[in-house]
Amino acid sequence: MWVLGVSVLAVTAGAYFAMRHTRRELHAMIGTETLSIQQLEQLRDVSAELGGKGDLRRTVQVVGAAHPGPDGALTAELSKAECVWFHYRVDRHYEIIEHGEFRRRKKRSENVIDHVSREKYALVDEEGRTVLVEPGDTEPDGVEQSVHRFEPVRSATGEIDLESLTPDSGSGHSEITVGYQYTEWSLRPGTRLHVLGEVEDTFGPLTIRGPGQGGHFVISTRPGSELRAERRKLHTGLAVGVVIGVVLGVGFVVGGLVT
C-alpha cells in the first residue's frame, strides 16, 4: 500500500508545480497592461530619446489580427493552405507480432516527423499599425486543426500490405506497418490574436517574443478575459487535487507502514 501512496504523492507533486505555473501565468495576465501598437511606438520613441535605439524592453499584452510577416505568407505542409504559422506531425502506427506457442499482436505507434514553423508574422491593429511576433517554440492556443487523417498501408487488393512486414531477425517478433496518422494545425491570416510577451526593438521593427528569465509568453486566438477565466478554473482544480492527493498519499504511506 505504501508504494501506491508514494505514487500518489509523486503525481501530486507534478500537479503542485503545474498549479504554481498556472498561478504565475494568471498573475502575469492580470498584472500586465494591454497596450495599443500606437502606444508601443510611443514607448519606442521615448526609449530611443533616453537610452538610444534598440533599447526598448517591456512586457506587455497586445491585440490584433495575424498577417504574413516580412518574408510573406507560409504554405502549410499538409493542407497546402496559406497561413502565417503551422505545425504538422506524422505518426506511424504498427503492430508487433510475437511468434511462439501463442501468436500475439501488440499495437504501437511512433513519431516520424514533427515540425513547427518559426518564421515571424505580423500582428496588425485596426489602424493598420504593425508589430512582429517571433513565436519561437510557442504554439498559439486555440488554432485550427487543418488536417487530421489516417492513411492505412494497403496493397492493391485492399488488404494490409505484407510488404511492410519486417521479418523476424531472431528476436522472436516481427513488425507490420498498419498506416500513418497525419495531423496539422495552422494559423490563417486575419485570425485575431491576444499576445502576452516582451516587446523589443533590437533590430528596428517592434517585435514581441518570449521574455527571458522565466517570463511568460502566451499567443492565443481567445480574448484575454476568457484566458484568465480558464486559468482561474484550472488553478482551482489543481489546488483541490493537490490537497486530496496529499491526504490520500500520506494515508496510503502511513497505512502501508503500519500494516
Side-chain angles (χ1 to χ4, degrees), residues 11 94 159 194:
V11 174
Y94 62 98
E159 300 296 329
H194 181 103

Side-chain angles (χ1 to χ4, degrees), residues 34-38 40 60-68 84 121-133 140-141 143 187-197 208 218-224 227:
T34 300
L35 299 180
S36 66
I37 299 178
Q38 182 179 15
L40 295 180
V60 298
Q61 297 184 86
V62 187
V63 177
H67 284 270
V84 300
Y121 51 88
L123 196 67
V124 182
D125 66 11
E126 295 177 352
E127 298 178 353
R129 300 176 185 271
T130 300
V131 59
L132 295 178
V133 179
D141 163 69
V143 293
L187 182 62
R188 297 181 184 273
T191 304
R192 194 158 183 81
L193 295 176
H194 181 103
V195 182
L196 164 67
I208 187 167
V218 177
I219 305 173
S220 179
T221 61
R222 297 181 292 169
L227 292 174

Side-chain angles (χ1 to χ4, degrees), residues 74 84-86 115-121 133-138:
L74 303 179
V84 300
W85 174 94
F86 67 90
H115 175 77
V116 180
S117 66
R118 299 173 60 90
E119 288 81 357
K120 294 179 183 178
Y121 51 88
V133 179
E134 186 176 313
D137 295 325
T138 299

Side-chain angles (χ1 to χ4, degrees), residues 11-17 19 236-248:
V11 174
T12 302
Y16 172 74
F17 286 111
M19 180 191 71
T236 300
L238 288 171
V240 172
V242 166
V243 173
I244 295 175
V246 169
V247 173
L248 290 177

Side-chain angles (χ1 to χ4, degrees), residues 143-214:
V143 293
E144 171 191 2
Q145 187 178 71
S146 46
V147 173
H148 183 71
R149 71 173 185 269
F150 180 79
E151 294 185 2
V153 176
R154 297 188 180 278
S155 65
T157 61
E159 300 296 329
I160 295 295
D161 189 359
L162 294 180
E163 293 185 359
S164 66
L165 179 67
T166 303
D168 186 357
S169 58
S171 60
H173 69 269
S174 55
E175 292 183 5
I176 183 170
T177 300
V178 178
Y180 293 88
Q181 178 71 49
Y182 296 87
T183 312
E184 179 186 89
W185 299 264
S186 59
L187 182 62
R188 297 181 184 273
T191 304
R192 194 158 183 81
L193 295 176
H194 181 103
V195 182
L196 164 67
E198 182 181 74
V199 67
E200 51 87 19
D201 63 342
T202 304
F203 301 104
L206 286 170
T207 304
I208 187 167
R209 60 186 178 185
Q213 300 179 349

